[in-house]
Amino acid sequence: MYILGIETSCDETAISVLEFSSKTKYKILSNVVSSQVAIHAPFGGVVPSLAAREHEKNLPVCFAQALKKAKVGIDKIGAIAITVGPGLSPALWRGVRFAQELSRSTKLPLVPVNHVEAHIYSAILNKKNPEVLFPAMALIVSGGHTQLVLIDEKKNMKIIGETRDDAAGEAFDKIAKILGLGYPGGPIVSRAAKKGKKDAIAFPRPMIHLKNFDFSFSGLKTSVLYTLQDLHKDKNELSQKEIADFCASAQEAIVEVLTVKTIKAMRHYGARTLLVGGGVSANTALQSSLKKSVKKELPGMRVFFPKKEFYTDNAAPIAYNAALHLRSVSAETIEANPNMRIAGKFYY
Ligand code: KG4
Ligand code: ZN
């Protein structure tokens, strides 16, 4: 069966065609992503109305490209998977309307997908026979979300911890903005951090020792701002070395909090597998910290990070997520849900 996946929750217009036989037998025939980074960069963040306008323009183009690359006609598609939330309302609605019209004209079933849930599936997508042992823990770290999700033995998902303010990706973006380094901040900060000393500046590790599994990153942003103002008292511009140290130290604060809390949560719930997804899963410091800590503190447990092409937003995990359950809704009743929360089954 061929599934068409559509994703427009933030600033990427993405359409993918998946050929699906079973959870381990499938092929991503196309995965078209049109990024709007250049359009939002001058604003230092995503402007929802601009994102919606770009989705409107890009959707038909990505749709044609995705079918062409996959060499599959629309008549061969069996279902349309569409991200309905969480995300930016005007952006989500553009995708939902597009899927709705397509479903009306083709009579294809519409399968609504939760964007954050799809980030979890990204961790195992296109891996050679990934064996997920339950209970499992998922860490979602994106520009909009930072959540720990427990997937219990019956494969029920439950959010057991999340950020109370900024998301991890948002923290990276704000740190880059404060330093005047550009947007999106994650890749820029992590690149600069490679040449810096991670213990150069002692940034706070908010909530690290609390018993719960929640996070908070807004204090870090404030601390970064004050530290920079202090440094600026003596000189106007930071040297490359100082910027590198700054980035490495701020990154380390984020990485350490994420690692400590994830390990604590895995231990508490007896999780046997860790699935990491979302844009920040691209961060190599986070990858090595989590792998090292799991190896040392929870030997034998498995850790999955997405393949490179699935780190940030794309439609392949949307199509895959839908293919695993195919629970459709009617084109008349489907709605975008900007505040959608993870609940229900992990279909794997
Ligand atoms: O998952 P994603 O593409 O979009 C959302 O669903 O939000 O994540 C985007 C976020 C941005 O905040 C970006 O700065 C961050 O992921 N990001 C990174 C890296 N690459 C992307 N953060 C840290 N290190 C990276 N290498
Ligand atoms: Zn995302």
Side-chain angles (χ1 to χ4, degrees):
M1 181 181 194
Y2 297 103
I3 317 267
L4 185 83
I6 305 175
E7 153 65 41
T8 64
S9 67
C10 192
D11 60 344
E12 260 95 33
T13 317
I15 301 196
S16 171
V17 177
L18 173 80
E19 185 181 4
F20 185 85
S21 304
S22 73
K23 73 175 187 184
T24 51
K25 243 182 109 192
Y26 59 88
K27 215 169 170 182
I28 297 162
L29 300 180
S30 64
N31 193 15
V32 176
V33 181
S34 169
S35 171
Q36 305 173 6
V37 162
I39 288 158
H40 300 285
F43 302 94
V46 180
V47 183
S49 57
L50 276 184
R53 197 191 67 189
E54 288 302 304
H55 287 315
E56 184 90 37
K57 210 167 72 190
N58 296 337
L59 275 163
V61 182
C62 293
F63 174 63
Q65 279 178 5
L67 290 179
K68 193 172 168 206
K69 273 194 188 161
K71 297 197 178 72
V72 171
I74 185 72
D75 53 314
K76 295 275 189 310
I77 301 285
I80 303 165
I82 170 74
T83 300
V84 290
L88 303 169
S89 181
L92 286 167
W93 271 112
R94 284 309 185 284
V96 169
R97 291 268 182 253
F98 184 85
Q100 203 173 28
E101 278 164 32
L102 195 61
S103 163
R104 281 190 183 127
S105 62
T106 57
K107 304 278 175 281
L108 285 172
L110 270 180
V111 184
V113 173
N114 179 318
H115 177 87
V116 175
E117 205 176 305
H119 270 309
I120 305 179
Y121 290 102
S122 302
I124 43 179
L125 204 58
N126 265 2
K127 296 278 175 75
K128 272 189 202 135
N129 252 338
E131 199 190 347
V132 180
L133 301 175
F134 300 94
M137 190 63 67
L139 171 68
I140 300 114
V141 272
S142 70
H145 294 85
T146 301
Q147 288 180 341
L148 278 166
V149 176
L150 171 71
I151 309 165
D152 69 17
E153 267 136 342
K154 292 186 173 147
K155 302 189 189 178
N156 289 311
M157 294 187 291
K158 189 180 165 202
I159 300 169
I160 54 138
E162 62 191 317
T163 184
R164 297 191 177 173
D165 37 60
D166 294 346
E170 205 176 352
F172 274 104
D173 293 338
K174 285 180 176 170
I175 290 162
K177 196 171 181 177
I178 292 168
L179 291 169
L181 298 178
Y183 173 85
I188 302 171
V189 169
S190 86
R191 212 175 307 126
K194 287 197 165 74
K195 294 197 178 108
K197 284 211 311 250
K198 59 187 184 186
D199 56 356
I201 306 165
F203 286 119
R205 269 74 167 150
M207 302 181 68
I208 199 163
H209 297 301
L210 293 190
K211 280 225 165 70
N212 62 37
F213 305 111
D214 285 343
F215 304 92
S216 164
F217 292 108
S218 72
L220 177 62
K221 169 192 66 192
T222 316
S223 172
V224 163
L225 184 63
Y226 289 157
T227 309
L228 188 69
Q229 282 171 352
D230 266 357
L231 284 170
H232 275 167
K233 272 186 200 142
D234 302 324
K235 56 199 288 201
N236 267 334
E237 262 191 47
L238 300 189
S239 68
Q240 289 300 319
K241 172 82 184 102
E242 282 169 318
I243 289 177
D245 283 349
F246 213 104
C247 289
S249 303
Q251 173 176 274
E252 182 60 15
I254 299 172
V255 165
E256 195 182 320
V257 175
L258 289 172
T259 304
V260 168
K261 290 254 162 168
T262 303
I263 298 288
K264 219 185 259 183
M266 285 182 76
R267 184 171 281 140
H268 183 85
Y269 289 98
R272 302 163 74 197
T273 308
L274 174 63
L275 302 161
V276 190
V280 184
S281 67
N283 190 281
T284 47
L286 178 66
Q287 293 183 4
S288 48
S289 168
L290 280 171
K291 280 182 198 159
K292 220 168 90 186
S293 297
V294 168
K295 200 171 170 190
K296 186 169 160 231
E297 300 188 41
L298 303 164
M301 306 304 151
R302 319 199 66 190
V303 187
F304 291 102
F305 285 92
K307 286 187 147 189
K308 204 172 169 193
E309 60 270 38
F310 307 128
Y311 286 147
T312 51
D313 291 347
N314 68 97
I318 308 297
Y320 182 65
N321 188 347
L324 291 172
H325 60 81
L326 287 179
R327 290 166 177 246
S328 59
V329 298
S330 87
E332 309 317 312
T333 57
I334 193 160
E335 280 190 335
N337 181 358
N339 301 315
M340 193 176 196
R341 295 195 39 95
I342 276 192
K345 289 268 178 208
F346 185 71
Y347 295 98
Y348 189 79

